[in-house]
Amino acid sequence: MAEEKKLFKVTIDNITIEVEPGTSILNAARKIGGDVVPPAMCYYSKLKDSGGKCRTCLVRVAAGSTADPRPMPKLVASCRTNVMDGMIVENITSPAVQEARKGVVEFLLINHPLDCPICDQAGECHLQDLSYEHGAEGTRYEFNRRTFKKHDLGPYIQLHMTRCILCYRCVFTADQVTNKRVHGVLDRGDHSEIATYIEKNLNNDFIGNVIDVCPVGALTDKTFRFKNRVWFTKPVDAHRNCDKCCGEVQLWMRGDEVFRVTARKDVYGEVKDNSKGGPGWICNECRFEKKNASDWVIEGLSDISRHSVISQGKYPGLVKPKETVVEVMNGHSPKLMMNIHSVSEVNKPEIELSKIAGPAHSSDFNSNNA
Amino acid sequence: MSKKLLLEKAHVENIRLYDVYRREGGYRSVEKALKTMSPDQVTEEVKKSGLRGRGGAGFPAGMKWSFLAKPEGVPRYLVCNADESEPGTFKDRYLMEFIPHLLIEGLIVSSFALGSSRTYIYIRGEYAWIVDILEQAIAEAKNNGWLGKNILGTGFNCEIYVQRGAGAYICGEETALLESLEGKRGNPRLKPPFPAVKGLYGCPTVVNNVETLAAVVPIINLGGDEYAKIGVGRSTGTKLISACGNINKPGVYEIDMTISVEEFIYSDEYCGGIKNGKRLKACIPGGSSVPIVPANLLLKTAKGETRYMNYESLSDGGFATGTMMGSGGFIVLDEDQCVVKNTYTLARFYRHESCGQCSPCREGTGWMEKILWNIENGKGKMSDIDLLWDIQRKIEGNTICPLGDAAAWPVAAAIRHFRDEFEWHVLNPDKCLTENYGLRHYADPIHVPVA
Ligand SMILES: Cc1cc2nc3c(=O)[nH]c(=O)nc-3n(C[C@H](O)[C@H](O)[C@H](O)COP(=O)(O)O)c2cc1C
Ligand code: SF4
Ligand code: SF4
Ligand code: FES
C-alpha cells in the first residue's frame, strides 16, 4: 500500500486548500486561482532558482504554521516562501500588501520608457497588465529616465535595455535551456544591464526562448520587429516534425502569412508543457526559420483569455464590417495616415530606442534626428 | 583606562611578526583549545562569553555557531568577513594591519570549534596591502606548525586562504560574499536556506566578522565567564570603535562598553572633543547604515538618561529616538555640517552599491538620491520631503537583503529628526547654496515629561 502523503493545509485570503509539502505560497495560490494569485514578474515555474527578485508577489503571512502561529515580521516573496501546515496568508485581503505592491509597480515603472506605442510586446506585456491592475494613475518621478549603450545581440534577438526589469529569467533560460550562456547581467544597481560584455551574437540553439520568458519588451523577436501589432495577428496552435524540439508552437498569423512563431503559453504567460511532458521550449529553427504556413500542420485557434486584447483577432467567421469611412467623409476615400514599417519608414528602425529617455516622441523620428 | 583585549599589544614593536607575537603570549589560545578542549567546549565558552557579532547585526556568535548543521561526510566552512566597506567603519583594517596574528589565531581556534579545515578570509579589494600582511602571517603560522596537517599532533588539519573582493560593498553581506567567493556575481541569496545549512559550495558555513573572530582569542584565554564580566548587560567584552568626522582625535579605539557617549566624544582618552572648539550637532554612531541622531538624543535617551556606548543603550528608544551600535563606525558632525548634504552623500553611496537584484532597492535608491540632490541644491519642493519618506518606507522591509533597509534608514532618520533643516533648504533655495542651517535646536536639552 502506498503510504498516504501528508498534505499541508494553507489558507490564502480566507480560502483553504491542501497542498504538498514544499509547495510555495504562490503555487498554492495558483491552485486556488483567480484574484488571490499574486502577480509574478520574475518567478517562472519552469526555471530553477527563478523568483524572489521583482517583489511584486509579496504577501503577508499572518500565521506561520499551526505549530508556530506567529506572523512573519516582514512581507515575504510568495514565489520563494514555502507553505507550512496551518499557514495563514493574506494577499488581496491585506492593505499592507496592496500598498507595498503599488510601491513595487511604481519602482518598476519610474525608469521604464513607457514606449508601448512602438513596443512589439504591447498587448502581451506583463508589465502593462501589472500596471493596469496594481499601479497608480500618474507618476511621481520627475527625472530623466535611464538610458543605456546599445548592445547588438545578432540577427534573432532584439534587446531594448530600457524596458528590462532585471527579472533574470533570460539568464536562467540561457543557463538551463541552451548549451552555453553567453549573456548575463553586467554592472550593478540601477546601472545593471543585460549584455554579452564583449559584443556577441546570441545564436545558441534554443536561445530564442528568452524572447518567450521575457515579461516585457526587452527581448523581442527581431524577425518580427515592427511587422505587426500582436492583436492584429491571429494565434493558432500548430506543429511540425522537428528533431530538435517538440515542434509544438503557436503561429501568429494574418491570413496565410506567418508573422511570428512562439512557444505555447499558459494562463500565467509561461511556456506550456508539451504533449510528451516537460516544458515546451522550441528550437531556433522552428522559431525563426519556419515562416511559411506550409511548414506547419495547423491544429486550430489558440485559446486566448477573453480579457486579452489579443482575443480580438481570434474569432473565425466574423463578418467584415461595412466600410463607412467614405460615407462619413462626404465621399472622400480614406487616406493612409501611417504605415508603421518600412513602407513609409516613419518608424526608422535605425533609431536606437534604448538611447531615448522616456517615451519616444515624433520629434525623435524627425529626419534630422536619424 | 578601559580594558584592552584586542589592541593591548597592537603597538608592541614588530608585533606583526610571528616571533614577537608569540613572545608576547600569542597562540596560547590555540594550545589551550586544541590540547585541552573539545570543539563543543570551545563553542560553549563562546556562548558563555555573550560575544555578539561585530559585523553590524550583533547576533550572538556562540548561538550562530551552535546552529551550524553537521551532516556526516560534508565539509564545513568558516569564512571571515573582512570586506569592511561601510562608510565610517575602519576597525577591521586596523586590527588586520597592526596585529594580523591575532586574527589568524582566532581563526584557528574557531575553525577547530566548527570543524573547518578550509577557512577563508574574504577581504575588501581595496585593502590590497593587507592581503600581503595576512598572507605573510599565515605563512609564518604554518611554518611554526599552527596551520597545515595534524596541528599540534591533534589530528586537526586547517588551511587559511585569503580572497580579495573586487570593490563592492554588497559583497560584505554574508550570502553575497559566499557567491563572490565561489566566483560568481555577488548577488545576495534568498534566505532560507541560511548559510549555517547551505553556505559556501552548498555546505554548512559560518560567516563572522574579523573582530568577532579575533575576540575568540581572549575568550579562550580568559574563559567565557570572565570575558562576560567585562562590559554591561548583553554588551559583553570590548568593542572596537572607529571614530571619524569633526573630532580632535580620529582613530580606532577599544572600549569596554561601560563608558558614556559623552565621555567617548569629549575625553582625551578617546575622541578628544569636537575639532576647533565647535559644537556637536549630530552623530551616526554605528556606521553609515544606522540612524543619525541629533546631539541631544545622542548624549541622553528620550527618558533623560545618560546614553552609553553599548548595544542596548544606543538602541534605547528604538528608531523613534534611538539608533544602533552597528559596526562601530562612529561619525561625528559638528555645527557646520549640513544634514541634507550628508544624507545625499549616503543615498548616493547606497544607490551605487545596490546589487540591483530587487526592484525596490535598485530603483528606490536612485530615486532618493536624485530628490536629495535637488533639495541640497535648492531645487527641492516641500512635497519632496514627504515623497522621500514614502519611498524609503516602500523600500524598507521589502527587499532581499538588508542593504535596502540600510539605504532607507539614514533617510528616514534624517527626516525624522532634521525635517526643519530639509524645509529650510526648500524655503531658502539661494541661501542654502552658500550658508548652512547650523546647530539650531539640535543640542537643546530634551524635555522629559515627568511621570
Ligand atoms: C550590505 C551589507 C554589507 C555588509 N558588510 C559587512 C562587512 O563589510 N563586514 C562584516 O563583517 N559584515 C558585514 N555585513 C554583515 C554580514 O552580512 C554578516 O552579518 C556578518 O558578517 C556576520 O558576522 P558577525 O556575526 O560576526 O557580525 C554586511 C551586511 C550587509 C547587509
Ligand atoms: S531582458 Fe527580459 S528576461 Fe532578461 S532580465 Fe530583462 S526583463 Fe528579464
Ligand atoms: S536589497 Fe539591494 S543589494 Fe540587497 S539584494 Fe536587493 S537590490 Fe541587491
Ligand atoms: S515573482 Fe516573486 S519576487 Fe518576483
Side-chain angles (χ1 to χ4, degrees):
Chain A
M1 278 256 356
E3 209 177 298
E4 205 176 307
K5 251 214 197 107
K6 161 119 179 73
L7 294 179
F8 281 175
K9 230 185 216 134
V10 49
T11 304
I12 304 174
D13 288 338
N14 303 319
I15 304 170
T16 303
I17 181 178
E18 292 200 327
V19 295
E20 295 204 358
T23 307
S24 65
I25 297 174
L26 179 74
N27 280 332
R30 283 182 176 184
K31 281 208 161 145
I32 299 171
D35 289 345
V36 307
V37 185
M41 296 297 287
C42 69
Y43 171 77
Y44 202 86
S45 65
K46 269 99 191 167
L47 296 171
K48 205 168 124 319
D49 297 330
S50 64
K53 300 190 196 298
C54 70
R55 317 307 281 180
T56 56
C57 71
L58 290 174
V59 293
R60 178 167 181 267
V61 175
S65 66
T66 315
D68 181 1
R70 287 175 303 173
M72 290 191 183
K74 296 191 214 168
L75 303 182
V76 300
S78 60
C79 64
R80 290 289 295 261
T81 308
N82 284 355
V83 298
M84 300 295 282
D85 198 23
M87 185 184 266
I88 299 174
V89 179
E90 296 169 357
N91 178 23
I92 53 175
T93 49
S94 160
V97 169
Q98 298 306 300
E99 179 74 6
R101 188 166 294 150
K102 205 167 153 190
V104 173
V105 176
E106 183 172 34
F107 286 135
L108 286 175
L109 289 176
I110 58 171
N111 274 303
H112 190 83
L114 298 175
D115 56 351
C116 312
I118 51 151
C119 174
D120 277 326
Q121 189 87 358
E124 53 179 14
C125 174
H126 291 250
L127 188 57
Q128 281 187 327
D129 296 345
L130 182 80
S131 313
Y132 281 123
E133 279 163 37
H134 303 281
E137 248 168 53
T139 180
R140 299 183 290 174
Y141 189 72
E142 298 177 332
F143 303 92
N144 279 341
R145 286 159 199 258
R146 204 167 37 219
T147 56
F148 293 90
K149 182 172 154 276
K150 181 191 162 126
H151 292 286
D152 188 356
L153 301 183
Y156 293 136
I157 298 167
Q158 177 68 40
L159 170 67
H160 286 287
M161 191 52 220
T162 46
R163 299 173 187 156
C164 172
I165 60 159
L166 282 165
C167 70
Y168 281 65
R169 281 178 182 179
C170 60
V171 179
F172 291 120
T173 304
D175 269 334
Q176 297 169 30
V177 180
T178 75
N179 62 359
K180 191 169 188 283
R181 174 161 68 85
V182 290
H183 81 290
V185 178
L186 301 190
D187 222 318
R188 65 178 183 230
D190 63 353
H191 33 298
S192 318
E193 58 177 334
I194 291 288
T196 51
Y197 194 56
I198 295 166
E199 207 82 348
K200 220 168 176 177
N201 288 350
L202 288 196
N203 51 16
N204 281 9
D205 205 2
F206 285 88
I207 191 66
N209 290 293
V210 296
I211 298 166
D212 283 340
V213 301
C214 185
V216 293
L219 295 172
T220 50
D221 186 337
K222 222 180 217 176
T223 66
F224 175 64
R225 196 167 188 233
F226 296 147
K227 290 252 163 72
N228 225 303
R229 309 296 340 201
V230 286
W231 58 87
F232 292 145
T233 63
K234 181 158 73 176
V236 300
D237 286 356
H239 67 262
R240 65 182 275 269
N241 269 335
C242 176
D243 49 13
K244 284 186 246 160
C245 69
C246 60
E248 295 167 16
V249 304
Q250 204 164 34
L251 303 180
W252 299 77
M253 307 183 65
R254 254 184 120 161
D256 282 340
E257 214 180 324
V258 175
F259 273 83
R260 181 171 74 141
V261 182
T262 65
R264 300 180 190 171
K265 313 268 184 80
D266 66 15
V267 288
Y268 300 111
E270 293 189 15
V271 168
K272 274 186 191 167
D273 282 345
N274 66 49
S275 56
K276 291 180 202 77
W281 307 116
I282 59 169
C283 67
N284 287 0
E285 187 183 346
C286 284
R287 184 185 301 270
F288 299 118
E289 317 287 349
K290 300 289 171 196
K291 296 286 180 77
N292 293 316
S294 60
D295 293 328
W296 298 95
V297 181
I298 292 177
E299 297 166 19
L301 287 164
S302 305
D303 202 16
I304 297 283
S305 158
R306 192 164 61 78
H307 302 288
S308 164
V309 62
I310 298 170
S311 70
Q312 72 159 5
K314 144 181 182 186
Y315 300 102
L318 280 186
V319 184
K320 198 172 168 208
K322 192 166 67 113
E323 197 58 79
T324 54
V325 181
V326 182
E327 210 173 290
V328 300
M329 297 270 295
N330 300 327
H332 298 298
S333 38
K335 206 161 59 176
L336 181 66
M337 312 258 316
M338 177 165 107
N339 180 334
I340 62 166
H341 35 280
S342 49
V343 188
S344 68
E345 292 208 324
V346 70
N347 215 345
K348 296 182 173 141
E350 68 276 12
I351 293 178
E352 181 44 40
L353 298 177
S354 63
K355 287 190 177 153
I356 299 171
H361 297 279
S362 56
S363 56
D364 292 311
F365 292 93
N366 284 344
S367 45
N368 48 3
N369 256 348
Chain B
M1 197 64 188
S2 85
K3 195 158 184 93
K4 295 209 178 0
L5 300 176
L6 302 175
L7 301 183
E8 191 188 357
K9 300 277 164 64
H11 297 292
V12 173
E13 204 181 335
N14 285 330
I15 192 75
R16 211 185 261 171
L17 302 178
Y18 171 78
D19 292 334
V20 178
Y21 182 74
R22 177 71 177 148
R23 193 186 66 217
E24 293 290 330
Y27 289 98
R28 272 184 299 140
S29 71
V30 180
E31 286 176 315
K32 183 170 174 186
L34 267 64
K35 286 190 179 157
T36 70
M37 298 167 81
S38 71
D40 286 347
Q41 281 170 331
V42 177
T43 304
E44 199 48 42
E45 288 306 312
V46 175
K47 257 191 185 164
K48 276 197 247 166
S49 75
L51 173 67
R52 292 171 68 170
R54 305 294 195 226
F59 191 81
M63 207 184 313
K64 186 187 262 188
W65 288 14
S66 63
F67 290 156
L68 184 69
K70 295 183 175 155
E72 208 44 53
V74 178
R76 301 188 285 274
Y77 294 105
L78 169 64
V79 177
C80 170
N81 190 341
D83 195 56
E84 189 165 68
S85 317
E86 176 116 332
T89 307
F90 46 90
K91 63 188 179 69
D92 297 341
R93 159 181 169 172
Y94 192 89
L95 193 149
M96 292 186 288
E97 188 170 350
F98 291 102
I99 185 161
H101 279 286
L102 183 69
L103 175 61
I104 306 302
E105 181 177 352
L107 282 175
I108 299 170
V109 175
S110 308
S111 302
F112 172 70
L114 298 165
S116 166
S117 302
R118 256 180 294 158
T119 293
Y120 294 90
I121 302 173
Y122 184 94
I123 186 165
R124 168 179 188 169
E126 292 88 338
Y127 286 175
W129 75 100
I130 301 179
V131 176
D132 297 336
I133 295 174
L134 289 173
E135 286 188 333
Q136 192 194 337
I138 291 168
E140 285 180 328
K142 195 166 175 179
N143 287 339
N144 288 282
W146 303 103
L147 281 170
K149 289 223 170 348
N150 193 16
I151 302 167
L152 303 184
T154 56
F156 174 60
N157 306 328
C158 186
E159 296 287 351
I160 299 177
Y161 302 98
V162 186
Q163 175 62 48
R164 246 178 95 180
Y169 170 62
I170 191 58
C171 290
E173 194 280 337
E174 55 184 10
T175 57
L177 185 155
L178 295 175
E179 285 284 295
S180 172
L181 192 52
E182 289 180 11
K184 301 180 189 143
R185 184 186 161 81
N187 279 359
R189 296 176 182 168
L190 286 125
K191 284 159 273 187
F194 289 94
V197 178
K198 239 177 137 193
L200 187 62
Y201 303 115
C203 301
T205 303
V206 165
V207 182
N208 271 136
N209 173 256
V210 169
E211 187 190 344
T212 314
L213 293 164
V216 171
V217 174
I219 289 171
I220 296 304
N221 284 337
L222 296 172
D225 288 330
E226 277 306 305
Y227 183 90
K229 285 183 194 155
I230 304 161
V232 56
R234 290 176 56 237
S235 301
T236 60
T238 61
K239 175 86 190 80
L240 298 184
I241 305 285
S242 58
C244 64
N246 309 115
I247 46 176
N248 282 317
K249 290 169 59 194
V252 176
Y253 297 99
E254 182 168 7
I255 61 163
D256 72 4
M257 299 201 262
T258 56
I259 60 171
S260 69
V261 178
E262 189 161 3
E263 181 184 349
F264 185 70
I265 296 180
Y266 291 103
S267 94
D268 280 336
E269 192 182 340
Y270 304 108
C271 303
I274 309 296
K275 225 172 171 165
N276 304 326
K278 298 269 179 189
R279 290 167 299 173
L280 171 71
K281 178 175 179 181
C283 177
I284 306 171
S288 63
S289 305
V290 312
I292 185 173
V293 279
N296 45 17
L297 281 174
L298 176 73
L299 304 178
K300 291 242 184 314
T301 68
K303 289 176 253 158
E305 292 160 358
T306 304
R307 210 186 273 282
Y308 291 93
M309 292 288 290
N310 63 49
Y311 291 93
E312 288 88 352
S313 185
L314 282 173
S315 59
D316 186 294
F319 278 8
T321 58
T323 172
M324 277 160 77
M325 176 70 121
S327 53
F330 196 86
I331 309 170
V332 178
L333 282 70
D334 73 15
E335 57 189 304
D336 292 341
Q337 303 311 312
C338 171
V339 170
V340 176
K341 183 167 186 195
N342 173 74
T343 313
Y344 161 71
T345 308
L346 294 181
R348 190 181 56 168
F349 172 78
Y350 288 107
R351 192 269 301 152
H352 189 256
E353 297 297 335
S354 158
C355 84
Q357 257 191 115
C358 44
S359 350
C361 171
R362 178 183 67 238
E363 306 294 346
T365 50
W367 194 1
M368 292 197 301
E369 180 198 340
K370 291 189 178 77
I371 296 172
L372 282 162
W373 188 89
N374 273 359
I375 300 178
E376 166 63 9
N377 288 285
K379 299 190 168 94
K381 301 191 291 282
M382 263 321 168
S383 60
D384 283 344
I385 304 170
D386 291 324
L387 180 56
L388 269 178
W389 183 266
D390 195 50
I391 298 171
Q392 67 78 24
R393 202 171 55 89
K394 283 182 168 142
I395 300 174
E396 191 207 344
N398 291 338
T399 58
I400 295 176
C401 89
L403 188 138
D405 303 336
W409 293 341
V411 176
I415 298 178
R416 187 182 294 121
H417 300 302
F418 299 89
R419 193 179 179 108
D420 35 6
E421 187 161 353
F422 283 81
E423 291 177 353
W424 180 83
H425 275 72
V426 173
L427 295 173
N428 300 281
D430 295 320
K431 222 179 181 177
C432 78
L433 301 177
T434 51
E435 274 175 46
N436 268 335
Y437 189 57
L439 182 65
R440 306 286 167 134
H441 55 90
Y442 296 124
D444 294 355
I446 289 186
H447 173 69
V448 183
V450 269

